[in-house]
Amino acid sequence: MNTRRSGLAPRTFMLLLMAYLLLPLLATGLYAFAENWQNTLLPEAWTFSWFGEMFKDIRFLEALWTSLYLCLITVVLSLAVMLPAVFVITVYFPRWESFMKGIVVLPYAVPGVVAAVGLIRAYSSGPLNISGTAYLLVGAYFVVILPYMYQGIRNSLLSVSAVELLNAAELLGASRRSAFVNVILPNIWPGVIVSALLSFSVLFGEFVLTNMLVGGHIQTIQVYLYRRVGESGHLASAIAISYFVFILLLSALLMRLGTLGKR
Amino acid sequence: MKKMKQRQRGVILALLPFVLMVLAFQVVPLLSMLTGSFRREDGTGFTLGNYLHAVQSAYYMQAIKNSLLISVSSSVIGIAAGLLCAYCITRFTPAVRDRLLMLSNMTSNFAGVPLAFAYIILLGNNGVFTLLFKQWGWSVFSDFNLYSWSGLILVYVYFQIPLALLLLYPAFYGIREQWKEAAALLGAGSWQFWRTVGLPVLSPAIFGTLGILFANAMGAYATAYALVGGNYNLLAVRIGSLVAGDVVTQPQMGSTLAVLLALSTLLAVYLNQRMVRLTEGFVSKSPRKRLWRREASAGVRTAALEEAGQ
């Protein structure tokens, strides 16, 4: 029975790991609340003023708003496009699934910087000149969250046995469409919400595509943060910490939903 | 007959937007990049000149070499630390284990620009620790420069370890207690067990994870961009400045380097997929469940991947 008891060595190593991982976070947090912090182990004086300044900065609020609505639009668009498509593929063409897996794995085998090169080349001239616009960015974002949405929707469909449900609904006289809307959708909704939130948090942290595709025209929170780093360290810390807390709350919500879904 | 037709129309309507989106924003850009890499500087004709130029130019070769070196080193360090921690984490009770994993995953949200920034606060030129060490006279650290090779490694390893831990620890549950007992009964020591049984069983997971970590580091842009900007010659940053730089852009050359970068990451992810299939062969207790867990972890994995790769 001793095997489940953690010895001294595992504890030491995990403690070291946690120190390594949490130290930068902790320092950013302290820096955000420090009035000044030089030559001492801990800051000498504390203040909330950096956070106050952050909310007074109109550019910050604008960037936050831009991030929120760009992410929201993309996630909603993705839901509208992916729900019917994944449903049809899972139910009618299960043979295509390996092909789909290939398409879906591509976004994470292709780094953001490479995707940006292709997008810039394809859309900066010719009939569809949408370079630097939000349309291009939303399209790029759509591909970024493709794996999460596909995987999430597909897993939800499989775990509620969508095909059997559908057959049962049809036997009882429902049309395919009404079976999808009234039977399948309500059943897969919890899982779909989880992948939508996950996608949202991924997009919220997106930097490379945003910076390369529309960096000069549209400022999201990440681009804004990058611009501010050089100016005031304390203010940038306050922003970084707020961003992190927001993402943390989002993932806490995700986890709660995930465990609720399992029950 | 009419119903069949209607159904067909419904199926097409459901698939069409998806196909269009994938074509427009995934397939076409990649093809455009591929053809672009074979175009002359003025954007016409067909040439292998860009690739030749990339190979002959000391500048681009240095970027490739730096990126490869930093990716391999940070992946190997990440794997080593990840293995150690993954083993340690299986020694805790499930409740503690889950909490530790949660903490480690939480930090993977802290990637890209904010991460680079945190390190600048801590160890940059005017970083808190830099000044403290100077004051305390710890000269060991005076050579350390965050904006160079050693600093980059430190930051890259930071986002590699949680990912390695997450991908590796399930594999440790494939090693049964009975095997250890059997080995002990046959007279094998703990070291001998790990060398002859444990590590070989883990090796597909190790190599697979190595592939993911390598691709992750090769594609990492935000962290490097925010930390060293143009001062350190890395492939991803180089591509970025060739295509969307402030000075004159060279889309053809950018495409060429991007194709080379994509080839390396595609290869690494392909390796991972092969290894995952291999692992499924002999670790799984119930294959279905394993698969699910892998897919779940694939989700988190991508989360970390994307964030690091920004």
Side-chain angles (χ1 to χ4, degrees), chain A residues 73-110:
Chain A
I73 287 175
T74 312
V75 171
V76 169
L77 174 77
S78 180
L79 277 177
V81 171
M82 297 293 285
L83 271 173
V86 180
F87 173 74
V88 164
I89 289 166
T90 317
V91 174
Y92 297 103
F93 310 103
R95 280 198 202 153
W96 290 7
E97 282 200 337
S98 59
F99 173 71
M100 283 297 293
K101 266 210 172 122
I103 287 188
V104 164
V105 92
L106 213 56
Y108 51 76
V110 176

mmCIF file of all heavy atoms in Angstrom, chain A residues 73-110:
data_model
loop_
_atom_site.group_PDB
_atom_site.id
_atom_site.type_symbol
_atom_site.label_atom_id
_atom_site.label_comp_id
_atom_site.label_asym_id
_atom_site.label_seq_id
_atom_site.Cartn_x
_atom_site.Cartn_y
_atom_site.Cartn_z
ATOM 1 N N ILE A 73 -17.939 36.780 -32.696
ATOM 2 C CA ILE A 73 -18.418 36.593 -34.070
ATOM 3 C C ILE A 73 -17.870 35.294 -34.648
ATOM 4 O O ILE A 73 -18.597 34.502 -35.247
ATOM 5 C CB ILE A 73 -17.996 37.790 -34.952
ATOM 6 C CG1 ILE A 73 -18.833 39.016 -34.586
ATOM 7 C CG2 ILE A 73 -18.143 37.466 -36.426
ATOM 8 C CD1 ILE A 73 -18.412 40.266 -35.321
ATOM 9 N N THR A 74 -16.569 35.066 -34.443
ATOM 10 C CA THR A 74 -15.964 33.862 -35.009
ATOM 11 C C THR A 74 -16.589 32.603 -34.430
ATOM 12 O O THR A 74 -16.893 31.662 -35.163
ATOM 13 C CB THR A 74 -14.453 33.852 -34.748
ATOM 14 O OG1 THR A 74 -13.924 35.104 -35.100
ATOM 15 C CG2 THR A 74 -13.790 32.758 -35.548
ATOM 16 N N VAL A 75 -16.778 32.592 -33.105
ATOM 17 C CA VAL A 75 -17.323 31.390 -32.480
ATOM 18 C C VAL A 75 -18.753 31.139 -32.966
ATOM 19 O O VAL A 75 -19.116 30.000 -33.281
ATOM 20 C CB VAL A 75 -17.259 31.498 -30.943
ATOM 21 C CG1 VAL A 75 -18.024 30.364 -30.293
ATOM 22 C CG2 VAL A 75 -15.823 31.482 -30.480
ATOM 23 N N VAL A 76 -19.537 32.191 -33.065
ATOM 24 C CA VAL A 76 -20.916 32.018 -33.528
ATOM 25 C C VAL A 76 -20.937 31.536 -34.981
ATOM 26 O O VAL A 76 -21.655 30.595 -35.337
ATOM 27 C CB VAL A 76 -21.703 33.350 -33.393
ATOM 28 C CG1 VAL A 76 -23.038 33.256 -34.105
ATOM 29 C CG2 VAL A 76 -21.919 33.675 -31.923
ATOM 30 N N LEU A 77 -20.100 32.151 -35.822
ATOM 31 C CA LEU A 77 -20.003 31.718 -37.211
ATOM 32 C C LEU A 77 -19.592 30.256 -37.288
ATOM 33 O O LEU A 77 -20.168 29.459 -38.037
ATOM 34 C CB LEU A 77 -18.978 32.585 -37.947
ATOM 35 C CG LEU A 77 -18.668 32.163 -39.376
ATOM 36 C CD1 LEU A 77 -19.779 32.596 -40.300
ATOM 37 C CD2 LEU A 77 -17.339 32.711 -39.853
ATOM 38 N N SER A 78 -18.599 29.892 -36.468
ATOM 39 C CA SER A 78 -18.109 28.534 -36.479
ATOM 40 C C SER A 78 -19.208 27.558 -36.068
ATOM 41 O O SER A 78 -19.368 26.491 -36.669
ATOM 42 C CB SER A 78 -16.906 28.414 -35.552
ATOM 43 O OG SER A 78 -16.428 27.119 -35.556
ATOM 44 N N LEU A 79 -19.984 27.939 -35.051
ATOM 45 C CA LEU A 79 -21.095 27.076 -34.628
ATOM 46 C C LEU A 79 -22.082 26.888 -35.773
ATOM 47 O O LEU A 79 -22.518 25.770 -36.056
ATOM 48 C CB LEU A 79 -21.816 27.711 -33.434
ATOM 49 C CG LEU A 79 -21.212 27.484 -32.058
ATOM 50 C CD1 LEU A 79 -22.009 28.240 -31.017
ATOM 51 C CD2 LEU A 79 -21.194 26.003 -31.733
ATOM 52 N N ALA A 80 -22.421 27.997 -36.432
ATOM 53 C CA ALA A 80 -23.412 27.931 -37.507
ATOM 54 C C ALA A 80 -22.919 27.050 -38.649
ATOM 55 O O ALA A 80 -23.697 26.325 -39.268
ATOM 56 C CB ALA A 80 -23.727 29.333 -38.016
ATOM 57 N N VAL A 81 -21.632 27.100 -38.936
ATOM 58 C CA VAL A 81 -21.103 26.327 -40.054
ATOM 59 C C VAL A 81 -20.835 24.879 -39.667
ATOM 60 O O VAL A 81 -21.128 23.951 -40.403
ATOM 61 C CB VAL A 81 -19.808 26.990 -40.586
ATOM 62 C CG1 VAL A 81 -19.122 26.100 -41.597
ATOM 63 C CG2 VAL A 81 -20.115 28.340 -41.186
ATOM 64 N N MET A 82 -20.261 24.707 -38.453
ATOM 65 C CA MET A 82 -19.778 23.381 -38.078
ATOM 66 C C MET A 82 -20.884 22.445 -37.613
ATOM 67 O O MET A 82 -20.814 21.238 -37.850
ATOM 68 C CB MET A 82 -18.728 23.490 -36.968
ATOM 69 C CG MET A 82 -17.492 24.243 -37.355
ATOM 70 S SD MET A 82 -16.540 23.387 -38.588
ATOM 71 C CE MET A 82 -15.806 22.086 -37.615
ATOM 72 N N LEU A 83 -21.891 22.955 -36.900
ATOM 73 C CA LEU A 83 -22.917 22.065 -36.356
ATOM 74 C C LEU A 83 -23.572 21.215 -37.446
ATOM 75 O O LEU A 83 -23.564 19.980 -37.344
ATOM 76 C CB LEU A 83 -23.963 22.864 -35.576
ATOM 77 C CG LEU A 83 -23.671 23.077 -34.090
ATOM 78 C CD1 LEU A 83 -24.693 24.013 -33.475
ATOM 79 C CD2 LEU A 83 -23.653 21.756 -33.345
ATOM 80 N N PRO A 84 -24.123 21.844 -38.505
ATOM 81 C CA PRO A 84 -24.733 21.005 -39.535
ATOM 82 C C PRO A 84 -23.719 20.124 -40.252
ATOM 83 O O PRO A 84 -23.991 18.943 -40.509
ATOM 84 C CB PRO A 84 -25.348 22.021 -40.520
ATOM 85 C CG PRO A 84 -25.093 23.357 -39.992
ATOM 86 C CD PRO A 84 -24.271 23.277 -38.779
ATOM 87 N N ALA A 85 -22.535 20.671 -40.520
ATOM 88 C CA ALA A 85 -21.544 19.909 -41.291
ATOM 89 C C ALA A 85 -21.078 18.669 -40.532
ATOM 90 O O ALA A 85 -21.077 17.561 -41.081
ATOM 91 C CB ALA A 85 -20.353 20.801 -41.630
ATOM 92 N N VAL A 86 -20.717 18.845 -39.260
ATOM 93 C CA VAL A 86 -20.226 17.698 -38.499
ATOM 94 C C VAL A 86 -21.351 16.688 -38.286
ATOM 95 O O VAL A 86 -21.137 15.472 -38.338
ATOM 96 C CB VAL A 86 -19.640 18.150 -37.146
ATOM 97 C CG1 VAL A 86 -19.139 16.956 -36.360
ATOM 98 C CG2 VAL A 86 -18.522 19.140 -37.361
ATOM 99 N N PHE A 87 -22.557 17.211 -38.100
ATOM 100 C CA PHE A 87 -23.706 16.322 -37.945
ATOM 101 C C PHE A 87 -23.865 15.440 -39.180
ATOM 102 O O PHE A 87 -23.965 14.216 -39.088
ATOM 103 C CB PHE A 87 -24.960 17.170 -37.711
ATOM 104 C CG PHE A 87 -26.232 16.387 -37.707
ATOM 105 C CD1 PHE A 87 -26.559 15.586 -36.624
ATOM 106 C CD2 PHE A 87 -27.089 16.431 -38.797
ATOM 107 C CE1 PHE A 87 -27.729 14.850 -36.617
ATOM 108 C CE2 PHE A 87 -28.261 15.693 -38.800
ATOM 109 C CZ PHE A 87 -28.594 14.911 -37.712
ATOM 110 N N VAL A 88 -23.870 16.064 -40.345
ATOM 111 C CA VAL A 88 -24.055 15.312 -41.587
ATOM 112 C C VAL A 88 -22.939 14.290 -41.781
ATOM 113 O O VAL A 88 -23.178 13.141 -42.137
ATOM 114 C CB VAL A 88 -24.127 16.284 -42.784
ATOM 115 C CG1 VAL A 88 -23.923 15.551 -44.093
ATOM 116 C CG2 VAL A 88 -25.461 17.004 -42.781
ATOM 117 N N ILE A 89 -21.717 14.709 -41.490
ATOM 118 C CA ILE A 89 -20.590 13.791 -41.700
ATOM 119 C C ILE A 89 -20.658 12.624 -40.728
ATOM 120 O O ILE A 89 -20.494 11.466 -41.110
ATOM 121 C CB ILE A 89 -19.254 14.542 -41.565
ATOM 122 C CG1 ILE A 89 -19.074 15.453 -42.774
ATOM 123 C CG2 ILE A 89 -18.092 13.566 -41.478
ATOM 124 C CD1 ILE A 89 -17.993 16.465 -42.619
ATOM 125 N N THR A 90 -20.935 12.909 -39.454
ATOM 126 C CA THR A 90 -20.965 11.838 -38.469
ATOM 127 C C THR A 90 -22.111 10.870 -38.742
ATOM 128 O O THR A 90 -21.960 9.656 -38.572
ATOM 129 C CB THR A 90 -21.132 12.420 -37.047
ATOM 130 O OG1 THR A 90 -20.286 13.548 -36.934
ATOM 131 C CG2 THR A 90 -20.782 11.407 -36.000
ATOM 132 N N VAL A 91 -23.246 11.407 -39.168
ATOM 133 C CA VAL A 91 -24.416 10.553 -39.331
ATOM 134 C C VAL A 91 -24.438 9.851 -40.700
ATOM 135 O O VAL A 91 -24.683 8.649 -40.780
ATOM 136 C CB VAL A 91 -25.706 11.364 -39.116
ATOM 137 C CG1 VAL A 91 -26.929 10.519 -39.432
ATOM 138 C CG2 VAL A 91 -25.772 11.848 -37.679
ATOM 139 N N TYR A 92 -24.163 10.599 -41.767
ATOM 140 C CA TYR A 92 -24.304 10.010 -43.100
ATOM 141 C C TYR A 92 -23.007 9.491 -43.707
ATOM 142 O O TYR A 92 -23.012 8.557 -44.480
ATOM 143 C CB TYR A 92 -24.897 11.042 -44.074
ATOM 144 C CG TYR A 92 -26.270 11.506 -43.726
ATOM 145 C CD1 TYR A 92 -26.462 12.735 -43.141
ATOM 146 C CD2 TYR A 92 -27.376 10.689 -43.984
ATOM 147 C CE1 TYR A 92 -27.730 13.180 -42.819
ATOM 148 C CE2 TYR A 92 -28.645 11.116 -43.667
ATOM 149 C CZ TYR A 92 -28.819 12.372 -43.086
ATOM 150 O OH TYR A 92 -30.067 12.782 -42.774
ATOM 151 N N PHE A 93 -21.921 10.148 -43.421
ATOM 152 C CA PHE A 93 -20.673 9.748 -44.085
ATOM 153 C C PHE A 93 -19.569 9.426 -43.088
ATOM 154 O O PHE A 93 -18.526 10.074 -43.098
ATOM 155 C CB PHE A 93 -20.173 10.859 -45.017
ATOM 156 C CG PHE A 93 -21.203 11.395 -45.951
ATOM 157 C CD1 PHE A 93 -21.807 12.626 -45.708
ATOM 158 C CD2 PHE A 93 -21.562 10.667 -47.081
ATOM 159 C CE1 PHE A 93 -22.757 13.123 -46.586
ATOM 160 C CE2 PHE A 93 -22.517 11.163 -47.953
ATOM 161 C CZ PHE A 93 -23.120 12.397 -47.709
ATOM 162 N N PRO A 94 -19.810 8.446 -42.202
ATOM 163 C CA PRO A 94 -18.760 8.146 -41.223
ATOM 164 C C PRO A 94 -17.435 7.766 -41.894
ATOM 165 O O PRO A 94 -16.386 7.869 -41.275
ATOM 166 C CB PRO A 94 -19.338 6.992 -40.413
ATOM 167 C CG PRO A 94 -20.588 6.583 -41.066
ATOM 168 C CD PRO A 94 -20.983 7.596 -42.070
ATOM 169 N N ARG A 95 -17.507 7.344 -43.167
ATOM 170 C CA ARG A 95 -16.273 6.953 -43.840
ATOM 171 C C ARG A 95 -15.341 8.128 -44.085
ATOM 172 O O ARG A 95 -14.150 7.956 -44.239
ATOM 173 C CB ARG A 95 -16.602 6.337 -45.196
ATOM 174 C CG ARG A 95 -17.021 4.909 -45.079
ATOM 175 C CD ARG A 95 -16.893 4.257 -46.412
ATOM 176 N NE ARG A 95 -17.744 3.089 -46.454
ATOM 177 C CZ ARG A 95 -18.248 2.602 -47.571
ATOM 178 N NH1 ARG A 95 -17.999 3.209 -48.709
ATOM 179 N NH2 ARG A 95 -18.986 1.530 -47.552
ATOM 180 N N TRP A 96 -15.925 9.310 -44.151
ATOM 181 C CA TRP A 96 -15.087 10.493 -44.403
ATOM 182 C C TRP A 96 -14.316 10.943 -43.175
ATOM 183 O O TRP A 96 -13.537 11.886 -43.246
ATOM 184 C CB TRP A 96 -15.961 11.669 -44.856
ATOM 185 C CG TRP A 96 -16.549 11.515 -46.199
ATOM 186 C CD1 TRP A 96 -16.496 10.411 -46.997
ATOM 187 C CD2 TRP A 96 -17.284 12.504 -46.919
ATOM 188 N NE1 TRP A 96 -17.162 10.638 -48.159
ATOM 189 C CE2 TRP A 96 -17.655 11.922 -48.139
ATOM 190 C CE3 TRP A 96 -17.660 13.816 -46.639
ATOM 191 C CZ2 TRP A 96 -18.390 12.610 -49.084
ATOM 192 C CZ3 TRP A 96 -18.398 14.500 -47.583
ATOM 193 C CH2 TRP A 96 -18.761 13.900 -48.800
ATOM 194 N N GLU A 97 -14.582 10.274 -42.052
ATOM 195 C CA GLU A 97 -14.030 10.810 -40.813
ATOM 196 C C GLU A 97 -12.514 10.862 -40.786
ATOM 197 O O GLU A 97 -11.937 11.795 -40.252
ATOM 198 C CB GLU A 97 -14.573 10.029 -39.625
ATOM 199 C CG GLU A 97 -15.988 10.469 -39.316
ATOM 200 C CD GLU A 97 -16.429 10.118 -37.931
ATOM 201 O OE1 GLU A 97 -15.846 9.188 -37.343
ATOM 202 O OE2 GLU A 97 -17.351 10.775 -37.435
ATOM 203 N N SER A 98 -11.867 9.853 -41.400
ATOM 204 C CA SER A 98 -10.409 9.888 -41.359
ATOM 205 C C SER A 98 -9.887 11.051 -42.206
ATOM 206 O O SER A 98 -8.905 11.715 -41.845
ATOM 207 C CB SER A 98 -9.827 8.561 -41.844
ATOM 208 O OG SER A 98 -10.252 8.299 -43.151
ATOM 209 N N PHE A 99 -10.592 11.313 -43.303
ATOM 210 C CA PHE A 99 -10.240 12.464 -44.136
ATOM 211 C C PHE A 99 -10.427 13.770 -43.355
ATOM 212 O O PHE A 99 -9.576 14.659 -43.361
ATOM 213 C CB PHE A 99 -11.115 12.442 -45.394
ATOM 214 C CG PHE A 99 -10.968 13.669 -46.256
ATOM 215 C CD1 PHE A 99 -9.810 13.893 -46.974
ATOM 216 C CD2 PHE A 99 -11.995 14.598 -46.344
ATOM 217 C CE1 PHE A 99 -9.669 15.015 -47.767
ATOM 218 C CE2 PHE A 99 -11.869 15.726 -47.134
ATOM 219 C CZ PHE A 99 -10.700 15.932 -47.843
ATOM 220 N N MET A 100 -11.565 13.828 -42.629
ATOM 221 C CA MET A 100 -11.844 15.008 -41.813
ATOM 222 C C MET A 100 -10.766 15.215 -40.756
ATOM 223 O O MET A 100 -10.341 16.323 -40.479
ATOM 224 C CB MET A 100 -13.187 14.848 -41.112
ATOM 225 C CG MET A 100 -14.377 15.080 -41.982
ATOM 226 S SD MET A 100 -14.414 16.752 -42.593
ATOM 227 C CE MET A 100 -14.702 17.636 -41.078
ATOM 228 N N LYS A 101 -10.336 14.097 -40.167
ATOM 229 C CA LYS A 101 -9.292 14.186 -39.143
ATOM 230 C C LYS A 101 -8.050 14.831 -39.704
ATOM 231 O O LYS A 101 -7.396 15.632 -39.045
ATOM 232 C CB LYS A 101 -8.966 12.796 -38.598
ATOM 233 C CG LYS A 101 -9.754 12.469 -37.371
ATOM 234 C CD LYS A 101 -8.982 11.537 -36.445
ATOM 235 C CE LYS A 101 -9.742 11.404 -35.146
ATOM 236 N NZ LYS A 101 -10.095 10.021 -34.848
ATOM 237 N N GLY A 102 -7.729 14.484 -40.949
ATOM 238 C CA GLY A 102 -6.572 15.073 -41.605
ATOM 239 C C GLY A 102 -6.724 16.578 -41.739
ATOM 240 O O GLY A 102 -5.811 17.337 -41.415
ATOM 241 N N ILE A 103 -7.897 16.996 -42.181
ATOM 242 C CA ILE A 103 -8.143 18.437 -42.356
ATOM 243 C C ILE A 103 -8.067 19.160 -41.020
ATOM 244 O O ILE A 103 -7.529 20.251 -40.907
ATOM 245 C CB ILE A 103 -9.536 18.653 -42.987
ATOM 246 C CG1 ILE A 103 -9.489 18.257 -44.453
ATOM 247 C CG2 ILE A 103 -9.989 20.099 -42.831
ATOM 248 C CD1 ILE A 103 -10.723 18.611 -45.205
ATOM 249 N N VAL A 104 -8.602 18.494 -40.005
ATOM 250 C CA VAL A 104 -8.719 19.140 -38.713
ATOM 251 C C VAL A 104 -7.379 19.180 -37.978
ATOM 252 O O VAL A 104 -7.118 20.084 -37.188
ATOM 253 C CB VAL A 104 -9.795 18.399 -37.899
ATOM 254 C CG1 VAL A 104 -9.715 18.725 -36.457
ATOM 255 C CG2 VAL A 104 -11.162 18.748 -38.433
ATOM 256 N N VAL A 105 -6.521 18.203 -38.277
ATOM 257 C CA VAL A 105 -5.224 18.187 -37.598
ATOM 258 C C VAL A 105 -4.283 19.222 -38.231
ATOM 259 O O VAL A 105 -3.340 19.686 -37.603
ATOM 260 C CB VAL A 105 -4.612 16.766 -37.634
ATOM 261 C CG1 VAL A 105 -3.711 16.573 -38.823
ATOM 262 C CG2 VAL A 105 -3.861 16.480 -36.360
ATOM 263 N N LEU A 106 -4.593 19.613 -39.448
ATOM 264 C CA LEU A 106 -3.716 20.530 -40.177
ATOM 265 C C LEU A 106 -3.462 21.859 -39.435
ATOM 266 O O LEU A 106 -2.320 22.298 -39.355
ATOM 267 C CB LEU A 106 -4.291 20.796 -41.572
ATOM 268 C CG LEU A 106 -3.268 21.018 -42.682
ATOM 269 C CD1 LEU A 106 -2.309 19.860 -42.774
ATOM 270 C CD2 LEU A 106 -3.969 21.237 -44.000
ATOM 271 N N PRO A 107 -4.512 22.500 -38.884
ATOM 272 C CA PRO A 107 -4.232 23.772 -38.204
ATOM 273 C C PRO A 107 -3.216 23.662 -37.084
ATOM 274 O O PRO A 107 -2.524 24.613 -36.801
ATOM 275 C CB PRO A 107 -5.599 24.193 -37.659
ATOM 276 C CG PRO A 107 -6.564 23.554 -38.547
ATOM 277 C CD PRO A 107 -5.944 22.251 -38.974
ATOM 278 N N TYR A 108 -3.130 22.503 -36.407
ATOM 279 C CA TYR A 108 -2.071 22.507 -35.408
ATOM 280 C C TYR A 108 -0.746 21.958 -35.877
ATOM 281 O O TYR A 108 0.224 22.014 -35.153
ATOM 282 C CB TYR A 108 -2.453 22.009 -34.019
ATOM 283 C CG TYR A 108 -3.145 20.727 -33.756
ATOM 284 C CD1 TYR A 108 -2.487 19.524 -33.825
ATOM 285 C CD2 TYR A 108 -4.460 20.747 -33.323
ATOM 286 C CE1 TYR A 108 -3.138 18.344 -33.481
ATOM 287 C CE2 TYR A 108 -5.102 19.581 -32.980
ATOM 288 C CZ TYR A 108 -4.445 18.390 -33.056
ATOM 289 O OH TYR A 108 -5.060 17.245 -32.711
ATOM 290 N N ALA A 109 -0.718 21.437 -37.084
ATOM 291 C CA ALA A 109 0.588 21.096 -37.636
ATOM 292 C C ALA A 109 1.186 22.290 -38.359
ATOM 293 O O ALA A 109 2.382 22.364 -38.566
ATOM 294 C CB ALA A 109 0.458 19.911 -38.588
ATOM 295 N N VAL A 110 0.322 23.218 -38.767
ATOM 296 C CA VAL A 110 0.797 24.408 -39.469
ATOM 297 C C VAL A 110 0.843 25.583 -38.486
ATOM 298 O O VAL A 110 -0.194 26.031 -38.030
ATOM 299 C CB VAL A 110 -0.140 24.747 -40.644
ATOM 300 C CG1 VAL A 110 0.288 26.028 -41.315
ATOM 301 C CG2 VAL A 110 -0.142 23.614 -41.645
#
